Amino acid sequence: MQLIFMGTSPFAAAILMSLIENMNYKVVAVVTQPDKPVGRTQQFTISAVKEVALRYDLPLFQPYRIKYDYGFLPKVDFIITCSYGQLLPSAVLKLAKITPINIHASLLPKLRGAAPIQWAILNDENETGITITEMTTELDAGAIYSQRKVAIDLIDNLGSLSLKLTTAACKILLESLPKIADGRLIKQAQDLSAVT
């Protein structure tokens, strides 16, 4: 199956690697945020996802506003997003013949939005997890295909919890995609009363 991967963070880069290494999927395009100046020297830095795309010589795109600049994207079986940093317009979502997928590092509808791993720690949660949703034009609002819980131990910090969530995300995504493709996973709407 062919797919487009959209992401920016090291968390997303690890998921992209798992898709590249799986022979059932062909990544035909990678979309990530434009390079940004960082620190006192304002030296331009590339995203972790861009590093992976360059290493594997994958077609790479860095639109400033994907809402207006998406004509380069082909039709594919799946569009997969993970901490990309921009909302996708419906015209982009429709490029996925099966469905557009979002990977979120919380047990949605809890901790929607940015920095869910940090918020799980700051909120003193004892568990969090990974949610695979159908991507919509709203932030983290799509129907849920699958979830996997991850315990937060007292000694966990951002690094250790991110590592546990990365492992869980790679596993649940690769388990879920074929079931979504053949209709074995039925999506369930999020409980709006539980959104945080």
Side-chain angles (χ1 to χ4, degrees):
M1 285 186 272
Q2 294 189 328
L3 60 89
I4 295 167
F5 186 85
M6 300 182 175
T8 303
S9 69
F11 179 73
I15 294 167
L16 173 57
M17 280 293 303
S18 73
L19 290 164
I20 292 168
E21 292 169 355
N22 188 297
M23 301 308 293
N24 294 319
Y25 305 102
K26 181 178 181 186
V27 180
V28 298
V30 174
V31 182
T32 191
Q33 293 283 29
D35 301 348
K36 294 182 179 175
V38 174
R40 233 178 303 167
T41 62
Q42 292 294 284
Q43 184 173 346
F44 276 83
T45 304
I46 67 173
S47 74
V49 166
K50 181 174 180 177
E51 287 180 23
V52 173
L54 292 174
R55 189 180 326 142
Y56 287 89
D57 200 26
L58 297 171
L60 176 69
F61 304 96
Q62 295 179 271
Y64 280 93
R65 294 292 303 267
I66 197 159
K67 181 177 180 181
Y68 305 111
D69 184 13
Y70 56 82
F72 53 85
L73 293 173
K75 263 196 173 301
V76 289
D77 297 302
F78 287 107
I79 294 173
I80 298 176
T81 63
C82 179
S83 63
Y84 171 49
Q86 294 187 47
L87 292 175
L88 304 186
S90 58
V92 172
L93 299 177
K94 289 176 184 173
L95 294 173
K97 291 184 267 187
I98 297 172
T99 192
I101 296 289
N102 184 43
I103 305 158
H104 189 72
S106 81
L107 296 172
L108 291 173
K110 200 169 192 177
L111 301 179
R112 276 190 188 179
I117 304 172
Q118 291 90 329
W119 280 113
I121 293 169
L122 288 169
N123 290 348
D124 211 19
E125 305 281 351
N126 58 19
E127 70 176 10
T128 186
I130 297 295
T131 304
I132 306 293
T133 67
E134 178 181 52
M135 186 78 172
T136 68
T137 55
E138 294 178 59
L139 184 63
D140 300 328
I144 295 171
Y145 280 110
S146 56
Q147 293 185 308
R148 178 149 301 151
K149 292 181 179 179
V150 171
I152 303 176
D153 298 318
L154 287 173
I155 59 169
D156 274 328
N157 57 27
L158 179 60
S160 63
L161 185 55
S162 294
L163 186 58
K164 289 200 284 192
L165 287 165
T166 299
T167 302
C170 293
K171 186 166 184 175
I172 192 173
L173 178 65
L174 293 175
E175 288 173 0
S176 298
L177 286 177
K179 294 176 185 176
I180 293 170
D182 65 18
R184 284 180 288 150
L185 267 184
I186 307 302
K187 60 189 177 188
Q188 302 289 328
Q190 292 188 41
D191 177 1
L192 297 181
S193 68
V195 171
T196 63

